[in-house]
Each structure stands twice: as C-alpha cells, then as structure tokens.
Amino acid sequence: MRTGMRGLSWAGIVSVVLILGAAPARPQEQHAAPPNLIVPQSRSYNFWPQQEGPVHVTGVEAKIIIWDEMASTRLDIEMLNTTDRIQMGLMMIPTPDASVVWDVRYGGDDWDMEAQILRKEEAERIFNALVAAVRDPALVELAGQDLLVTRLFPIEPGAGRKISIAYAHMLEFEGGRVDYHLPRTESLQYDVPWKINATIHSAQPISTVYSPSHHVTVGRVSEKEVVVELKEGAELAPGPFQLSFLRQDDGVSGSVFAYPDEDGSGGYFLLLAGLPAELPSDVEPMKRELTLVLDRSGSMGVTKMDQAKDVTQQIISALEPEEAFNIVTYNSSVSFFSTEPVIKDVFSEAAAWEYVEAVRSGGGTNLHEALRLSLTQEPMAGMLPIVLFLTDGRPTSGITSEVAIRELVTSSNPYDRRVFTFGVGLDVNAALLQGLAELSRARAEFVLPTEDVEEKVGKVFKGLKGPVLSNGMLQVLTADGSEAIGRTWDIAPATLPDLYDGDKLVFLGRYIGDEPLVFKVSGTYLGQDRTFEFAFDPADADLRHTFVPRLWASRKIAEMIYEIRQLGADPSLSPDDPRLLEVTDTVVSLSIEYGILTEYTAFLADETTDLADPDQTGDTAGDTIYDRGVRARSGGGGVNQSINLREQRNQEVLNRDNSYVDQYMQTVRVTNVQQVSDLAFYFRDEMWVDSRLVSDDLELDTVTRIDFGSVAFMQLVKELTSRGRQGVLSFGNDVLLQVGGEPLLVRMPAEAPKYDPEPTTQTDTGGSGGSGGGVPRR
C-alpha cells in the first residue's frame, strides 16, 4: 500500500479521482455535504465513515444487449437522499476488463455528466486510498477490477435520483460458447433489489442459454435472438450475474466449463449441451405413445377426479396427429380404455373423452397392478413410450411392497417406458414415486394441496414435446479415441435423461491429469443413432468458473441422500447399517467443506455444533438422515424431501443461501454460512471461519494475525485476488482463513459494519416449493 495515502480525507479521495481525469468541481459543490462513496454492487453500497450513509441505493435495473461477442450494459441506479441537505456522491462501479463508457445520464436533467473507467493499475491506487480512509472491508470486493468512476451532484434532499450508465465490452468465448459477466457482491447481507434482462443477438442460431448464477426465464424471439430475464423472486439473489449461450452446431451442441484444483492435479468440469434452436424441416421428431394412468380410488373425491378428467382431455387434444395414446384407470382393480394404444384421430379422441367422463372414484389403490399392466402393454413401433402416472395415495390393495413396486420399472418394463409420476396431495409415498420416475429416465412431480392437478400435469406434458435425443449415454475418451480410464469420476447424472425440444443438459464431474479429453454423447437423435463429441483441454480450466465445484458437490450430496431414501424402501434397514453410516460420513464431510447444507445437515450452521467433533456431527446427521430420509416416506415430511432432492439432483444454478423446503412447505434459508468464490465460511464466535479450518481445534493465540489496511493486508489482498478470492476479506467481522496451508486471522476494523446472522430464516412459499436464488429474505 502507498503509505502516503494513509489517512486521506474524503475531499482527498475526490481529488485523486479528479486528478485521474474527471471534470473540475462546480462552485456549488463546495457547499455540499462531504461526498458519499457509492458502490451499487457492494454489500455496503454507500461507504460513510462510522455511520449509515445518507444516500441509499434503492434499486438497480440492468439492461444488457449482446451481439455475438460484444455486449452493452446499461445500469439504471435508483438512489434516495434521506437527509434534508443536498448531497454529492462519488460512484464507483466494477466493470469487466477493457470496458468503454458510452453514455451517462443523471436524473433526466441535462447535466454535463462525465465518467471514466480506471484500469486495474490506476484503480489499485484508488483502492489503496479508500481502504485507508473508509475502513470498510466491503471495499475489498473492488480489488483487481477495472472501476467506472463518476461524480453525482446534486442529490436533492428527501428526493430520489436515478443515474443511468452504459458501457460496452468484448465477451469471452470458448469455441461455440460466449460468456457474459456482471460483477456483483456475493454477500448474503446485500439487500438491494435488481432487475436484470438481456437480449442476445447472434449471427448463428442459438442452441441454448445458461446462467449458473441466477434463475432466469428464456424467451426465444427467433432462432438467432433470445430474451433473458431474472425469474420472479430472484431480485435479491446475490453474486455476479453470469450468462452463457451456445451457438448451434450440427445436432447436439456442447461446451465444457472447468475449474482447476489448487495443486494443479485435476479439477472439476461442467459439460453444457443444447439442442438445435429449430429442428430440421426435413426430419420429423420421434412420435410419442402416451399412456395416462389415473387413480380413481375413493380418496380422489369429486374435485381431484374432475381435474384428472380435464387434464386427460387437455393432453389427448394436444397430441400430434398420428401419435398414440391409451388410458388406464385403477382403484382396487384396473381398467383399460383400449387393449392396446390407439392412434389419435377425431374418433379415438371422442371415444376417450366419453370413457373418461364415465369414471367415478371409489375403492382402494392397487398401484402395483396398474403400473405392471401399463408397462407390459404392446407398444406402437417407432414411438417413444411414455407413461403419465397419477395417484393421490399410498398403495392399499394388491401388492403394497415399495421394493416390489419400484422394481417393476427395471425388471418388468420390457419396452423401456418412461414413467412420469404425479403425487397429488401429501398422502403419497413420495420416495416411491421419485424412484419409479428416476429409474425410467423420467421425473416425479408433486401437486400440493393448494395446487391444481390440471395445471401441474399439463405443464409437464408441454415440456415433453418432440423427443429429440433418447436413450443417451456419456463416454469419456482420450484424444486418440480410447477409453480414458481413471481420468474422471463422480459424474452426475449417471443416467442421461431424454432431451425434448428446448431442453439442455448439464453434466458435472471431476477430472484428474492434464492431458486432453473428449466427452462423447451418443443416443437416438431424431430417430437415428448419432454420436456427438466435445473436446476438453484441462489447460483451459478457468479460475472464474467457481460455480463448477460447488454445483458438483451439491449434486454429489443429493445423489447420496437419494441412495439412502431408496434404501429406506426396505423396512428392515437399521440405523447401524454400514451402507447408511458410510454415506452419512461422506455427506457430512462434503457439506462442511463446500458449505452446502440441506435439511439433514442444517444443524452444522448452528454455533453450538462442534464441527471439530466428528462423533457429534456424524451421530446428529445419522439420526436426522435415518428419521427423515429413511423413515419419512409420505406426508409433508416425505413430499418435501422429494421436492428438495429433485431440485438438488438436477441443480444447475447456485443456491448461495442453502434454501430448501421444509415439511410445512415453507422455504428455509441458512444465513450464517457464506459461499464466496470457491470457498465457504461458517459464523463462529463473532468471526467467519474458513471451512478448511472449522473442523480444527486451533489455538487462536498461535495464529498469525493481520490487521485490516496494513501492508501485510494489502499483500494478502493481492494474493487472494490472483485466484478471484478477494471477496473473503469483505466481511465486517474478523476472518479466520487458510492461505498456503497456514491459518491466518484477519482483524477487521472495530467501526466496520458487523454481521450477526440468525442460523435460519423461513419464508412462507404460499404452497409452492423449491430451492435456489432469491425469494425475499428477512
């Protein structure tokens, strides 16, 4: 740090910026209050000595336009002066490398606004001065980045103001993939709502769009233009906004993101694959043969039965001409609309509606026989056989063994029918329905008491349009085409789901070694056997892809919990079963290391939990996993687990606050574990502790200490910035972290904003569940 800048005044900070090229101060500014340092993307968005800043950032809207490898980003930043005095501001915005400002507008007035982007070397001088003067660790997130700087005046008392800043920059690209990045804080304390929308224009058709950071909706305008928006409820989700798109290749398009291990021995990979924007006009998608299996037991009642009838009519009407269907209804016995699937036409459709209208509810639930007969019916040649299986209860007649019913999809499914299951209400064996679906390349859905059967089933069916890739498999090869033995492991999903029109596929796994690899995806593509190969060179692994290891770990944990849930089908499984104990220990270890907590391991965030005591953590996790994961098969406590597992096993987007749905269908968030870059931190004894140290019984008196703002601190910032980890020093509380294999205690200023989080927060979901970024937090 340049010691000559230590103790720099607020006026001095402004002067430094002016010297670097900003316009001279206007005369009226000499009478304004001291300047507010405003960083809209930071946890402390207004830096003000020893008090909350008088100017609040109340919202940000990002409007992004992408043309192939170039992007324009406009940030509309809303501010509010909460005082009765005119304020002035100095705004700093971290930007991607080599950005260029092209427009600045302030409050709609015709002010002669100027802005400048300081490159890393210049920005470092300002950063050093600010650290000394402001003494708020949140500033550390600015380290190592270009900074856009502009002066704001006047900010009228008691009034809102908006500044609109637009900058352009070139995008990173890797083969057919283009990546966009909008810097933002990773802190869970950040509470400024953002609206983000992006329009992507490409000279080539766009195969798929992917954000690993935020839940988004994607609307296709044409094969070369898409519109992306944050999903409702994601306005407060923290973290940089990351967006990638794949240019269309021949058939399945693909690209690999990779993150290297610290020792360089291997790393983590994410294979993103997408389908064509528009299917070839001379090729017809594989036709579907659809069997609707409807529960008509007494528990369905009039309302649910009527909804099931309506959705049956809706689905049959939506089938394409020449596709086939059948209808199976069951209670204690099983009835068929037809002895075999029939081609859809006006006559069969009318007959089906007449058949369904006559169905009445009553009797028990012979789930086993209904499924067995549905799977063994003779299929239509050349079609993909799909079953939509609906039930509102547990099996009560015929064979009721969960193991026997589940085994039907593997041992009595001669035509490989996909079984999409729908559990209506909470009195269903959720683990069984999930197992049936997962084992047959399908998925399970749950219709909660506040939801409509017709809407939920219809939404799933719309997503099953035009099977494009079916019976897929993944192989990993060396560059010369031989099997890459021992080069990858723990790849998820282990079985490829079928891909329908508009789907994308995300594989996650680990790799070892530095020799190039080839990922080979094969399957039935538009009715023909095809293979698609995607090259991966470990030398291209990128430290910016910190989302890859965390997504991998999250899926790995979910896969192990899913294993336990399926083992629970055996009522004789005991808490001491070696399979259960082994999986539990691994789940705890991964959860602590990566900071990924679930309903089974949320107790790890509690400060009373001694993470250095493996017996305590193992026993507590084992009891919870057994009582919930194994024994809770139905009811709210069974359904919520299947909802959480379905989301986590297919997770594509970071879940920074470890949110999950509890048995009351409320969203629970863990707020005292923070994920920063590729690291995780636990709040313990008024400090944030690196997950790599949290299980160690350290004597703090023996740990090297570094004070905020010192020469050693600035050197540490540089070292962490080299791996994109500078955000770990942005906490207001002291930080105990591991650097180079050694523990360091970084002491933060007493005046820095402190964080005293609650272990968990709950938000009423209004009857819907799910995990992921950003339902409003406390």
Side-chain angles (χ1 to χ4, degrees), residues 10 47-53 133-136 750-753:
W10 283 92
F47 297 87
W48 188 257
Q50 301 179 15
Q51 60 176 319
E52 184 178 357
V134 182
R135 297 185 63 74
D136 187 337
E751 64 269 27

Side-chain angles (χ1 to χ4, degrees), residues 4 96 167 191 264 287 316 329 337 390 394 428 434 444 450 478 481-482 552 568 582 631 647 674 715 752 757:
Y167 61 86
D191 59 0
K287 296 187 183 302
I316 293 175
T329 63
F337 164 68
L390 184 148
R394 291 165 287 177
V428 296
Q434 188 169 28
T450 57
T478 62
S482 58
W552 169 83
E582 182 180 11
R631 288 289 166 249
E647 296 298 317
Q674 298 230 34
Q715 290 173 340

Side-chain angles (χ1 to χ4, degrees), residues 580-598:
L580 184 62
L581 297 177
E582 182 180 11
V583 170
T584 297
D585 288 344
T586 306
V587 166
V588 171
S589 176
L590 286 174
S591 298
I592 293 175
E593 179 182 356
Y594 292 89
I596 295 172
L597 307 187
T598 63

Side-chain angles (χ1 to χ4, degrees), residues 40-42 45 56-62 76-78 184 189-196 214 230 233-238 774 776-777:
Q41 290 131 306
S42 173
Y45 49 80
H56 292 186
V57 176
T58 57
V60 181
E61 183 172 3
D76 291 338
I77 302 159
E78 299 280 354
R184 295 169 73 239
Q189 292 176 264
Y190 187 68
D191 59 0
V192 176
W194 280 60
K195 294 181 180 179
I196 300 177
H214 290 76
L230 280 187
E235 297 87 353
L236 292 175
R777 66 190 82 241

Side-chain angles (χ1 to χ4, degrees), residues 29 113 125 135 226 235 336 341 364 536 567 569 596 718 738:
E29 294 182 24
M113 297 297 300
R125 289 194 286 157
R135 297 185 63 74
V226 296
E235 297 87 353
F336 278 76
F536 165 52
L567 287 174
I596 295 172
K718 282 188 175 182
Q738 179 176 295

Side-chain angles (χ1 to χ4, degrees), residues 443 493 716:
R443 62 180 179 271
L716 179 60

